[in-house]
Amino acid sequence: MVQGIANWNTGQTQEWLQQYVDDWVAFYRKHTSDGEVASYIPVLQQADPDDLGISIIGKSGMTVRSGDTEIPFTLQSISKVISFIVACMERGVSYMLNRVDVEPSGEAFNSIMHLEMHQVEKPFNPLINAGAITVSSILPGKTSDHRLEPIYLLLEQILGYRPELNVEVYESERDSSMRNRAIGYYLLETGFLESDLNVTLETYFKQCSIEVTIDDLARIGMVLANDGMDTKTGEEIIPRQIARIAKVLMLTCGMYDASGKFATYVGIPAKSGVSGGIVAAVPPRVREETMPFTDGCGIGVYGPALGDKGNSIAGIRLLRHIANQWDFSIF
Ligand code: DON
């Protein structure tokens, strides 16, 4: 593998960067054997644990993609960022922040224990399941399809096409997710849920089952990196304040109880999902003008072999390497 910091100033053509990324993906693909694909949602177990791919899209549109770039996968927890953004756009920021907090929980994504132990006034944050299910209960609409509509519309605006629901994954989670039902009943008992539990869970399971590719994640990351603006048209797709809160949450809570380590070693707002996806938003930076993507970029990663915290094991290591090589940290 290419080691050390290269002199990026000597030329940053797409082909040149491509060679590096190809080399890094080949190296980190070997790390996939340190993880395992998620099995608690039965259909997710069909993923190939050796897969690893990355897409990086810069402000100018320059794209570097490598590895398994064409495999579709479901958003899973990455959808929590989108549903929170949509809920803020539909209901207002203060309404949402009165109902879900913005504090890291330090617990696993599906923890129920912390809700009871801390006797919280609201779920810790919208990126853990308790918070995300609460958000799904606040989205306007009587049916799950009504509630999902603004999520699809926002994704369509960002991606340029309307993504589809993976029905098999949805049904698999719906029929197996006893933990999320338990969290839902707890939220119902404590009065956190704003609407019917079954519709809420259906909404949550469906949002998790929206199918995307790493290019799609890179586009989402790019819009967030630019505070909600579409870099091609200059149009504001997500209000700046909401995009900023989303990035704060990604940085502090996006990797659950591995968020502190991710912030320390990678240092960019990012969100993972159990299907192996990671979306990352690299804002423009001024210090290292000799590095690639100084105007900011969006990154999408896919690597379904997960580490013990439920994040893509090789994906995180690959991101860490690239962030260090190209000085992506926001700190
Ligand atoms: O709630 C669940 O179990 C899944 N649908 C989403 C969890 C998830 O992606 C956690 N991320 N690492």
Side-chain angles (χ1 to χ4, degrees), residues 40-41 75-78 80 109 129 173 177 180 204 208 256 271-275 309-311:
Y40 74 96
I41 300 174
L75 279 173
Q76 297 301 331
S77 283
I78 296 170
K80 296 167 180 172
F109 66 90
N129 289 15
E173 180 164 10
S177 190
N180 283 328
Y204 175 71
C208 287
Y256 308 108
K271 179 76 203 86
S272 64
V274 281
S275 55
K309 308 288 186 194
N311 306 315

Side-chain angles (χ1 to χ4, degrees), residues 248-265:
V248 171
L249 286 165
M250 287 162 74
L251 187 86
T252 54
C253 316
M255 298 289 157
Y256 308 108
D257 41 342
S259 297
K261 284 191 186 58
F262 191 84
T264 304
Y265 295 113

Side-chain angles (χ1 to χ4, degrees), residues 209-328:
S209 305
I210 295 173
E211 202 161 69
V212 291
T213 64
I214 50 173
D215 286 338
D216 295 335
L217 293 188
R219 285 191 191 99
I220 295 169
M222 188 62 205
V223 169
L224 288 171
N226 282 283
D227 288 343
M229 197 182 75
D230 182 333
T231 47
K232 268 198 223 133
T233 61
E235 185 195 349
E236 186 180 76
I237 300 183
I238 301 166
R240 177 188 292 243
Q241 183 199 14
I242 297 174
R244 285 191 173 156
I245 297 172
K247 280 187 283 186
V248 171
L249 286 165
M250 287 162 74
L251 187 86
T252 54
C253 316
M255 298 289 157
Y256 308 108
D257 41 342
S259 297
K261 284 191 186 58
F262 191 84
T264 304
Y265 295 113
V266 187
I268 43 184
K271 179 76 203 86
S272 64
V274 281
S275 55
I278 303 175
V279 61
V282 182
R285 58 209 190 284
V286 286
R287 266 179 309 148
E288 295 288 356
E289 58 285 341
T290 58
M291 294 285 173
F293 297 108
T294 43
D295 283 344
C297 60
I299 306 178
V301 172
Y302 174 65
L306 309 177
D308 58 358
K309 308 288 186 194
N311 306 315
S312 172
I313 194 154
I316 291 216
R317 292 176 188 174
L318 174 65
L319 269 178
R320 175 178 172 168
H321 187 82
I322 295 182
N324 284 319
Q325 288 288 315
W326 291 351
D327 198 44
F328 279 170

